Amino acid sequence: MICVSIGRGRHRHVIAEHKHLVENGIGLVELRLDYLQGEVQVKRLLRDRPCPVIMTCRRKSDGGRWEHSEEARLTLLRTAIVEGADYVDLEDDVAAGVRRYGVTKRIISHHDFQKTPADLTLLHKRLASMDADVVKIAAMANHPTDNLRMLQMVHASRLPTVGICMGDIGAPTRILGGRCGAPFTYATFNDDRVLAPGQIGWRQMREMYRYDSITAATRIYGVVADPVGHSLSPVVHNAALAAAGIDAVYVPFRVPAEQIDEFLSAASRWPLSGLSVTIPHKESVLRHATAVDGLVQSIGAANTLSFTPAGIEAANTDATAAVESLAAALRGDEQPQNGTLGVKTAVVLGGGGAARAVAFGLKQRGVEVTVTSRTADRAKKIAAEVGCKAVEWAARHRMPSDCVVNATPVGMHPNVDETPYDKEHLRPYMVVFDTVYNPENTLFIKEARSVGCRTVTGVEMFVRQAAIQFRIWHGVEPPQQVMRDALKRATASAKQPG
Ligand code: NAP
């Protein structure tokens, strides 16, 4: 069950949000009394309540906004109990002083904004002993394995237990709590108004992650990256899973570079079924692979991991996606045949993983490729690996080419007024391919269209690389149009870089 936290300054706004949530199918809300201005009217909030409520009043030291005395706070919590609130949240240091009364259930909570405590089992035992109906532990995650420890603690508890890791490293615990037996997870009313670090909006929790349909049998997939908050892979994969009726969820895992080894070593404890891999892990994950596909072997980087009984299989879907996108645009053909692409010469802008995958894919299809990068050595390295040419960044416009590919982040949100290639050098016979997908119509793409070039957008490549992953993991045809629509909707409403 999703419990939505409501933190508003005015009673009428709390009541209105509560009503709105219930009309939208939410069955439990947390009313944050510490957000209310003026005298808190517990009776008014409980009267005619459309669904059960948790009443919570947090001190500043616990991440709340309560500005009055501790005595007044405890009086308020006791009033909530006397007035018959469904649940009241009592922090572990005050719980012993607040007696059980009537029908109100006691949530005994513990918060740690610095770390996830080392011995969660011992902490849980202490909280449970305080006449708890529900135990709640919310602690900052500093390491991805903090999530695992938290979820394992929830799973092992006989008493209903909510265990949440805060911060963006902790997001998996918010999404996967129910899978481990938690009675509910917390979500915010509004994506922009988080009441605790790392909270996820209730619509996203319900519609994108389908929290209520996650069970112990639901398989876990995800994207591993740092940072990960901007990734649109969860949007695309979860939409596809829902459309295909597959019992799996796709979760963002923020894993810092130095923690990837420990994270992958613990994969079976989640247990993970598959991962998309992006910056900064595309090369380092190969240390853990027991099998790699031909493209990984040639490119030296993977963007896809599959966890099988035999070990970790690594694949690279970027190069194929880039070539498929280009081929489809050139021929209007969804399933390009093997053979030449129809372009003879291409300039690839960029010296990172995307440039390397695109250069390799094009070269494999017989295109004469020139790589150019702001940092010349990076382009030279790719050229040596792929077997193509490299030129100085300043010379990029002088290279004769019938295809220009942007594999840099130039033009990506919020720098939408930038382009990596001057318009005056574009010619109508050129094919222009921008791997940037947020926004879809970058300045580079718009200028190319205005000159009369054929264009390929990063949305096409992104959808195709995800679609190939979907086929690898689930063994069924991916619903590509669903994936494309989900990505376009997300980029249209995105406020952050993609
Ligand atoms: P990366 O490894 O960080 O490489 C980025 C490259 O862009 C580097 O060579 C960097 O140059 C260059 N660069 C950055 N800012 C620049 C600027 N202002 N002017 C000129 N060059 C600049 O990243 P990546 O993994 O290759 O990804 C690059 C981009 O490709 C991403 O931002 C994303 O938009 C796109 N991409 C799209 C898809 C898709 O499916 N559509 C998939 C993967 C990537 P320096 O070496 O000098 O820093």
Side-chain angles (χ1 to χ4, degrees):
M1 185 187 286
I2 299 170
C3 172
V4 183
S5 301
I6 303 177
R8 297 299 303 261
R10 290 168 179 263
H11 289 74
R12 65 186 164 87
H13 290 154
V14 173
I15 292 165
E17 287 190 0
H18 191 172
K19 188 164 169 271
H20 175 84
L21 288 167
V22 172
E23 283 166 2
N24 282 278
I26 291 295
L28 180 64
V29 299
E30 177 189 47
L31 305 184
R32 285 287 298 267
L33 306 181
D34 49 307
Y35 274 66
L36 284 163
Q37 286 152 12
E39 196 191 336
V40 178
Q41 300 163 37
V42 169
K43 245 188 184 157
R44 182 176 166 199
L45 295 173
L46 291 176
R47 194 190 318 134
D48 304 327
R49 60 185 178 279
C51 80
V53 300
I54 298 169
M55 286 199 147
T56 302
C57 186
R58 289 265 182 266
R59 298 164 291 205
K60 287 193 168 158
S61 57
D62 290 320
R65 291 197 177 176
W66 184 250
E67 288 191 327
H68 311 290
S69 70
E70 180 61 0
E71 200 188 334
R73 193 178 78 92
L74 294 177
T75 301
L76 193 58
L77 291 170
R78 289 190 183 103
T79 305
I81 295 172
V82 170
E83 294 298 339
D86 305 276
Y87 297 87
V88 68
D89 184 310
L90 302 168
E91 297 84 2
D92 52 344
D93 60 318
V94 301
V98 181
R99 284 181 38 217
R100 177 184 288 278
Y101 173 78
V103 294
T104 304
K105 292 198 166 111
R106 293 158 61 91
I107 299 176
I108 310 298
S109 65
H110 177 89
H111 298 83
D112 189 328
F113 286 86
Q114 305 304 321
K115 60 174 190 318
T116 301
D119 196 337
L120 287 171
T121 310
L122 197 66
L123 174 61
H124 183 274
K125 198 169 165 194
R126 186 167 66 75
L127 302 183
S129 73
M130 294 175 178
D131 192 15
D133 295 294
V134 176
V135 166
K136 176 190 173 189
I137 300 175
M140 186 59 74
N142 297 311
H143 195 291
T145 52
D146 289 339
N147 293 317
L148 259 181
R149 294 195 294 114
M150 187 65 85
L151 290 172
Q152 282 172 340
M153 182 274 296
V154 171
H155 184 68
S157 317
R158 268 185 290 157
L159 199 66
T161 298
V162 180
I164 281 172
C165 281
M166 293 186 281
D168 50 0
I169 289 183
T173 57
R174 297 186 180 276
I175 300 163
L176 299 174
R179 190 178 183 282
C180 298
F184 52 84
T185 191
Y186 289 87
T188 50
F189 182 81
N190 190 316
D191 288 354
D192 297 335
R193 274 196 268 129
V194 295
L195 275 59
Q199 262 189 339
I200 297 171
W202 68 272
R203 277 193 190 280
Q204 208 181 19
M205 193 65 99
R206 191 176 68 184
E207 285 156 28
M208 182 164 105
Y209 294 113
R210 294 179 296 144
Y211 182 87
D212 291 322
S213 65
I214 297 174
T215 68
T218 303
R219 292 195 305 284
I220 306 169
Y221 293 83
V223 52
V224 62
D226 186 23
V228 75
H230 64 281
S231 173
L232 294 175
S233 292
V235 171
V236 169
H237 277 283
N238 282 313
L241 290 169
I246 293 171
D247 186 12
V249 61
Y250 186 100
V251 179
F253 293 100
R254 188 187 141 214
V255 178
E258 63 280 7
Q259 295 171 356
I260 189 69
D261 291 329
E262 209 178 326
F263 176 72
L264 288 178
S265 302
S268 61
R269 288 167 57 202
W270 288 86
L272 300 178
S273 294
L275 286 176
S276 306
V277 182
T278 184
I279 296 172
H281 303 304
K282 283 188 173 181
E283 289 163 15
S284 53
V285 294
L286 295 179
R287 291 196 287 268
H288 296 263
T290 46
V292 300
D293 74 3
L295 284 169
V296 172
Q297 236 160 27
S298 309
I299 299 169
N303 73 337
T304 311
L305 298 180
S306 306
F307 297 84
T308 72
I312 302 179
E313 293 172 7
N316 191 313
T317 69
D318 279 336
T320 310
V323 172
E324 274 187 11
S325 307
L326 201 52
L330 289 173
R331 298 185 189 154
D333 178 2
E334 282 296 306
Q335 296 294 326
Q337 307 300 309
N338 279 339
T340 59
L341 271 178
V343 293
K344 288 194 174 65
T345 51
V347 170
V348 177
L349 311 173
R356 188 152 32 136
V358 172
F360 183 83
L362 294 180
K363 168 84 184 171
Q364 241 196 353
R365 298 292 292 269
V367 180
E368 197 179 302
V369 179
T370 303
V371 189
T372 177
S373 162
R374 186 174 63 174
T375 304
D377 282 350
R378 296 188 77 182
K380 281 185 195 155
K381 190 163 182 282
I382 292 176
E385 285 162 6
V386 170
C388 64
K389 272 192 295 205
V391 295
E392 295 286 323
W393 182 247
R396 65 194 183 283
H397 299 113
R398 292 200 292 275
M399 295 311 297
S401 59
D402 45 20
C403 177
V404 184
V405 185
N406 175 33
T408 77
V410 179
M412 189 164 93
H413 192 93
N415 303 315
V416 294
D417 296 332
E418 294 176 5
T419 172
Y421 199 87
D422 293 343
K423 183 181 174 185
E424 63 186 274
H425 295 281
L426 291 169
R427 300 286 176 268
Y429 61 80
M430 289 178 169
V431 182
V432 163
F433 179 4
D434 198 340
T435 66
V436 171
Y437 56 87
N438 186 13
E440 177 172 23
N441 293 314
T442 58
L443 183 59
F444 186 33
I445 290 286
K446 284 190 217 163
E447 289 186 341
R449 285 191 187 135
S450 73
V451 168
C453 304
R454 278 172 296 173
T455 57
V456 184
T457 73
V459 163
E460 272 313 301
M461 175 172 164
F462 191 83
V463 167
R464 285 168 193 273
Q465 60 80 28
I468 304 169
Q469 293 182 327
F470 194 92
R471 211 176 282 127
I472 292 173
W473 290 332
H474 310 298
V476 295
E477 259 321 285
Q480 282 202 39
Q481 196 50 45
V482 170
M483 299 168 100
R484 191 171 288 113
D485 291 345
L487 180 61
K488 288 192 182 205
R489 266 197 311 276
T491 53
S493 65
K495 295 190 181 84
Q496 72 272 62

